[in-house]
Amino acid sequence: MSSTDSPRGPVDSSRIPRYAGPATFARLPRLDEVGSADVAVVGVPFDSGVSYRPGARFGGNAIREASRLLRPYNPAQDASPFALAQVADAGDIAANPFDIHEAVETVEAAADDLLATGARLMTLGGDHTIALPLLRSVAKKHGPVALLHFDAHLDTWDTYFGAEYTHGTPFRRAVEEGVLDTEALSHVGTRGPLYGKKDLTDDAKMGFGIVTSADVMRRGVDEIADQLRQRIGDRPLYISIDIDVLDPAHAPGTGTPEAGGLTSRELLEILRGLSSCHLVSADLVEVAPAYDHAEITSVAASHTAYELTTIMARQIAGGRSA
Ligand SMILES: N=C(N)NCCCC(=O)O
Ligand SMILES: [Zn+2]
Ligand SMILES: [Zn+2]
């Protein structure tokens, strides 16, 4: 978007029924219709890194479908994100489903290209493997970034079946590669059985702090958001959200569900509490629509991506650099 143009927003659902036409995120224009964007919503239909149920390759398009009902004004953040910044749907990155190493390279290169245009990324997965190339790309631009990782799982395991790139291992690789600022790493919503206590000690050695889903329930969303904000400070922040951070009642459509998770209300409120953080890009992964019911999961995901997009748009409008 050139500085003189105002952003092109979503299709007006009071004139064209919201269920008409092909789905883009929030009925926004495609990136090729607007030339460039401040926030690029991009899909990565890739799920060859999963350890249990497959199907997250269909997540991005399910979120786009569910996002038809989003409206332009976000009262929770008192902002009209699509008027504050040009947000556009950049389509999908074509990652090779039969070669994980090649797919990881493809995602990194495509993210590099989008970031080089000055856009921030709101990536719709895909499985959690894709966080690694996205973090590599973001770190090339910003240096090591703070990470807020919302997930039932740690995803700092070493390998599965000898494979280093899987959906359970991206954040260990990211720490090893130096793309994360190890002073500001937090998991939020962690719960469920582990392979052993060593999973936790290894994770702590990498620098991660853990806010369990029980912590969120006991201490409440405001206190948790305050604590996270303090840890992040002014650092460039990347937020990675695995939809399985939500309880299976709120997100049945995912590959490795664990009981006892966050409500969608808790997740959305914690994110709103982070609106002053310097959010440089974000991903939302592990939506697997084949296990969903009545779009429960993809509706929650669409609202989650909307809050993240709103945070980025407000900062862009406030003059904060990408
Ligand atoms: N859903 C993600 N990203 N990871 C789960 C890996 C859990 C496991 O297979 O042990
Ligand atoms: Zn997970
Ligand atoms: Zn995960």
Side-chain angles (χ1 to χ4, degrees), residues 13-322:
S13 293
S14 64
R15 290 183 49 246
I16 302 175
R18 47 173 47 101
Y19 38 83
T24 55
F25 181 74
R27 310 192 81 199
L28 284 159
R30 297 191 316 264
L31 182 57
D32 62 343
E33 294 173 309
V34 289
S36 66
D38 301 305
V39 180
V41 182
V42 64
V44 184
F46 172 85
D47 65 7
S48 307
V50 299
S51 55
Y52 197 47
R53 298 169 176 170
R57 65 181 61 182
F58 300 108
N61 279 338
I63 298 167
R64 288 182 174 111
E65 280 295 335
S67 74
R68 290 173 181 276
L69 187 54
L70 294 171
R71 300 180 190 87
Y73 175 64
N74 182 344
Q77 296 195 50
D78 186 22
S80 297
F82 312 135
L84 292 176
Q86 181 64 63
V87 187
D89 193 316
D92 287 342
I93 298 171
N96 187 337
F98 302 108
D99 184 331
I100 296 185
H101 277 79
E102 187 188 311
V104 164
E105 280 171 24
T106 302
V107 173
E108 183 179 339
D112 288 349
D113 288 348
L114 286 166
L115 289 176
T117 68
R120 301 178 200 220
L121 301 184
M122 176 64 251
T123 306
L124 308 176
D127 77 50
H128 225 153
T129 311
I130 66 169
L132 175 65
L134 295 167
L135 284 166
R136 283 179 181 163
S137 184
V138 165
K140 275 182 241 170
K141 184 160 180 176
H142 295 278
V145 290
L147 173 70
L148 258 185
H149 169 220
F150 292 83
D151 201 323
H153 309 99
L154 300 167
D155 289 356
T156 52
W157 284 288
D158 189 3
T159 57
Y160 283 91
F161 290 79
E164 55 180 344
Y165 296 159
T166 79
H167 80 152
T169 58
F171 302 114
R172 183 185 289 241
R173 296 289 94 75
V175 170
E176 289 168 351
E177 294 180 16
V179 298
L180 296 179
D181 180 341
T182 53
E183 298 293 306
L185 306 179
S186 301
H187 303 294
V188 183
T190 318
R191 64 189 188 274
L194 300 172
Y195 297 95
K197 196 157 190 167
K198 187 171 179 296
D199 297 354
L200 293 171
T201 48
D202 281 1
D203 188 80
K205 273 188 217 146
M206 287 175 232
F208 282 92
I210 294 182
V211 175
T212 67
S213 65
D215 291 334
V216 175
M217 181 263 296
R218 289 214 172 78
R219 294 169 51 204
V221 291
D222 291 339
E223 190 182 318
I224 297 299
D226 283 352
Q227 176 194 324
L228 296 171
R229 264 200 322 270
Q230 275 171 32
R231 190 169 169 100
I232 296 156
D234 219 26
R235 296 173 170 90
L237 170 67
Y238 186 92
I239 297 183
S240 183
I241 302 184
D242 183 326
I243 203 66
D244 72 28
V245 71
L246 298 182
D247 191 88
H250 293 257
T254 196
T256 43
E258 311 280 352
L262 269 57
T263 64
S264 47
R265 185 170 56 212
E266 286 170 330
L267 174 62
L268 296 173
E269 276 301 306
I270 293 173
L271 293 176
R272 291 163 186 154
L274 300 169
S275 64
S276 63
C277 294
H278 183 197
L279 182 60
V280 294
S281 283
D283 67 55
L284 176 51
V285 298
E286 300 283 348
V287 172
Y291 317 101
D292 207 3
H293 301 275
E295 292 188 298
I296 295 172
T297 312
S298 41
V299 167
S302 73
H303 284 249
T304 303
Y306 182 64
E307 294 301 331
L308 292 165
T309 307
T310 305
I311 296 173
M312 292 192 258
R314 287 174 85 229
Q315 293 180 2
I316 290 156
R320 197 139 198 197
S321 62

